[in-house]
Amino acid sequence: MSWNVFIVGQDRLAQRLLPHLRHAEEYAFHPLLTLEQVVHAEEYPFDRLVECALAELERFDGPVDAIVGYWDFPTSGLLPVLRQARDLPGPSLDAVLKCEHKYWSRLEQSRSVPECVPAFQSLDPFDERAVESVQIEYPFWLKPIKAHSSHLGFRVESADQLREVLPLIREGIGRFGRPFDEVCAHVALPDEVAAVTGHHCIAEAIISDGRQVTLEGYVQGGEVRLVGIVDSLRDAEHSSVLLRYQYPSSLPEALQQRMLELTRRFIARIGYDDGPFNIEYFHDEQRDRLWLLEVNARLSRSHAALFQLVDGAPHFQVMVDVALGIAPRMPHREGRYAVAAKQMLRVFDNGRVSRVPSEEEIRRVEAALPGTLVQLNVEEGMRLSELKHQDSFSWELGVLFIGADDRETLDARIEQCRRMLPFEIEPLPEEGEA
């Protein structure tokens, strides 16, 4: 007998990693909604997606034992709604929104872990007096209440720059704002939160000067457990641009335990239970101060292959087992390598893709470096500006998941892969040129 586990927006990476779960023969995985519906779509009609998913489940001839997902919104909002409709365990929608609604989350953080919360305020980009409403000091980060991959996120240095970015935000904020308002309509929001809709932004004091890490964990039966801590390496010039995730973290053990204690306080405050989560922190090494960046009511898909390479199974193991109501059978340090990375292959200038690595070149890399996975985000002929879910400064051509016995060897292997995976990007003609 096997458990029927439905995955919202199942993708090729999951298909490659799920067979590596411990006791993989005990699970039967089924796709629920398509990648196009929950990730690549231009719009995310939330209530309609709920109806489509429930109809798919109703047509299934067999028990539905778990519903899981690893994407950001709308998947993170769909999971609690679908689980409640099917009477399955998982975090409540209220608890999920206290993570995913950036302003509500900051309010709850300020009441549970105030020592690591920066100054913040909500800001209505459609308010004619938006610039005059700023109360925190420049510079600050400005981002929508709900978005991801740094979508419409800006470091704002002055009132003049704020005036420049507001039209861009107004134009694009509805893509996530409209469906986020739909999901928020499913709960009774506190007055202080109800006034801040998906079409609002949050302004936050700059806390990005320091080391960034992500704590991956889960809650089961009210108990918070650590899965692992992953380092995030950023671009020197654009501090919001991620270049690499690296696992395990090189932070001192005592500091990791401080992060875990802060996490437990916040999770207890919001009543989040029976689900995975990840929390991103910055460590200001000069002041030895921890700052909480954001909370996600899901595990990070980007880290799954890293856990596979180092621990011996992707942490999809935790996502699936907790959703089934069983203790996660996640191994620890039983993988092929001592350290692993997800390396983003980025460029910082727009252009047209004239060449991508061939299937043969990719296979050669994956064969030469066992455990390595290569994923491409671009195709020949496309403009980089056509890529979705990119930050405001760069374009991600593809990613490497790769392991090694030590960090020095890891760096060398990544450079070897770069040489073996050639991209060619042609500059775009200036406006007015033929």
Side-chain angles (χ1 to χ4, degrees), residues 340-352:
K342 176 186 178 181
Q343 179 71 38
M344 292 74 160
L345 305 175
R346 294 192 182 277
V347 294
F348 290 82
D349 294 309
N350 194 11
R352 181 178 285 104

Side-chain angles (χ1 to χ4, degrees), residues 47-187:
D47 290 332
R48 196 185 313 158
L49 288 172
V50 170
E51 291 177 8
C52 290
L54 291 176
E56 281 188 50
L57 295 172
E58 191 65 32
R59 289 191 296 270
F60 180 71
D61 184 20
V64 176
D65 298 303
I67 304 171
V68 300
Y70 40 76
W71 298 106
D72 206 319
F73 189 78
T75 299
S76 57
L78 289 168
L79 293 176
V81 175
L82 297 176
R83 287 168 176 159
Q84 182 179 27
R86 298 291 305 202
D87 196 26
L88 294 170
S92 68
L93 181 57
D94 277 57
V96 167
L97 288 176
K98 288 173 184 176
C99 300
E100 300 285 328
H101 187 301
K102 293 186 188 298
Y103 183 72
W104 195 0
S105 190
R106 283 301 193 198
L107 290 177
E108 297 297 338
Q109 293 164 31
S110 67
R111 292 158 184 161
S112 56
V113 288
E115 66 269 37
C116 60
V117 179
F120 68 96
Q121 70 166 89
S122 63
L123 187 144
D124 181 358
F126 296 92
D127 182 359
E128 291 183 357
R129 296 186 57 79
V131 176
E132 289 73 21
S133 72
V134 172
Q135 298 173 351
I136 65 174
E137 294 182 2
Y138 292 93
F140 56 77
W141 286 112
L142 184 67
K143 46 196 170 184
I145 289 300
K146 184 71 262 176
H148 57 77
S149 304
S150 301
H151 177 68
L152 295 180
F154 298 93
R155 179 179 172 124
V156 180
E157 302 283 347
S158 65
D160 286 342
Q161 187 181 359
L162 179 57
R163 291 187 184 93
E164 291 176 6
V165 303
L166 283 175
L168 300 175
I169 293 173
R170 287 195 293 266
E171 181 180 355
I173 198 170
R175 182 165 181 246
F176 291 101
R178 284 187 295 272
F180 196 64
D181 286 342
E182 285 188 60
V183 69
C184 287
H186 287 255
V187 300

Side-chain angles (χ1 to χ4, degrees), residues 125-369:
F126 296 92
D127 182 359
E128 291 183 357
R129 296 186 57 79
V131 176
E132 289 73 21
S133 72
V134 172
Q135 298 173 351
I136 65 174
E137 294 182 2
Y138 292 93
F140 56 77
W141 286 112
L142 184 67
K143 46 196 170 184
I145 289 300
K146 184 71 262 176
H148 57 77
S149 304
S150 301
H151 177 68
L152 295 180
F154 298 93
R155 179 179 172 124
V156 180
E157 302 283 347
S158 65
D160 286 342
Q161 187 181 359
L162 179 57
R163 291 187 184 93
E164 291 176 6
V165 303
L166 283 175
L168 300 175
I169 293 173
R170 287 195 293 266
E171 181 180 355
I173 198 170
R175 182 165 181 246
F176 291 101
R178 284 187 295 272
F180 196 64
D181 286 342
E182 285 188 60
V183 69
C184 287
H186 287 255
V187 300
L189 299 173
D191 290 343
E192 61 186 341
V193 177
V196 181
T197 74
H199 288 77
H200 281 68
C201 292
I202 185 169
E204 299 180 342
I206 303 292
I207 58 171
S208 53
D209 294 331
R211 292 186 59 183
Q212 184 182 354
V213 297
T214 302
L215 186 152
E216 292 272 6
Y218 68 95
V219 194
Q220 191 169 51
E223 186 172 354
V224 176
R225 294 186 180 274
L226 176 67
V227 179
I229 297 178
V230 180
D231 289 336
S232 297
L233 308 183
R234 292 184 170 269
D235 181 67
E237 183 177 351
H238 302 292
S239 60
S240 66
V241 177
L242 279 167
L243 297 180
R244 183 191 300 182
Y245 294 119
Q246 194 162 287
Y247 176 70
S249 174
S250 60
L251 284 181
E253 179 63 25
L255 187 57
Q256 296 188 32
Q257 290 302 314
R258 281 169 54 193
M259 291 168 50
L260 184 57
E261 177 55 31
L262 290 167
T263 299
R264 287 187 167 126
R265 282 161 51 190
F266 172 73
I267 293 295
R269 163 79 192 183
I270 67 171
Y272 187 92
D273 201 1
D274 294 323
F277 65 86
N278 71 76
I279 300 188
E280 298 175 46
Y281 290 94
F282 275 104
H283 179 232
D284 181 338
E285 295 176 88
Q286 288 188 333
R287 299 175 178 82
D288 190 26
R289 182 168 184 177
L290 285 167
W291 294 101
L292 198 161
L293 176 59
E294 69 177 27
V295 186
N296 296 297
R298 56 177 175 81
L299 56 73
S300 171
R301 168 184 172 275
S302 290
H303 299 160
L306 309 188
F307 285 96
Q308 159 68 20
L309 290 165
V310 174
D311 288 335
H315 66 332
F316 290 153
Q317 184 87 54
V318 171
M319 172 185 75
V320 172
D321 286 349
V322 171
L324 288 167
I326 65 174
R329 298 171 289 185
M330 181 72 195
H332 184 70
R333 303 298 188 265
E334 297 180 26
R336 183 191 296 265
Y337 298 110
V339 62
K342 176 186 178 181
Q343 179 71 38
M344 292 74 160
L345 305 175
R346 294 192 182 277
V347 294
F348 290 82
D349 294 309
N350 194 11
R352 181 178 285 104
V353 180
S354 57
R355 187 193 191 283
V356 299
S358 67
E359 287 291 335
E360 182 180 349
E361 288 168 329
I362 292 172
R363 284 195 299 270
R364 193 177 301 141
V365 166
E366 294 183 346
L369 303 170

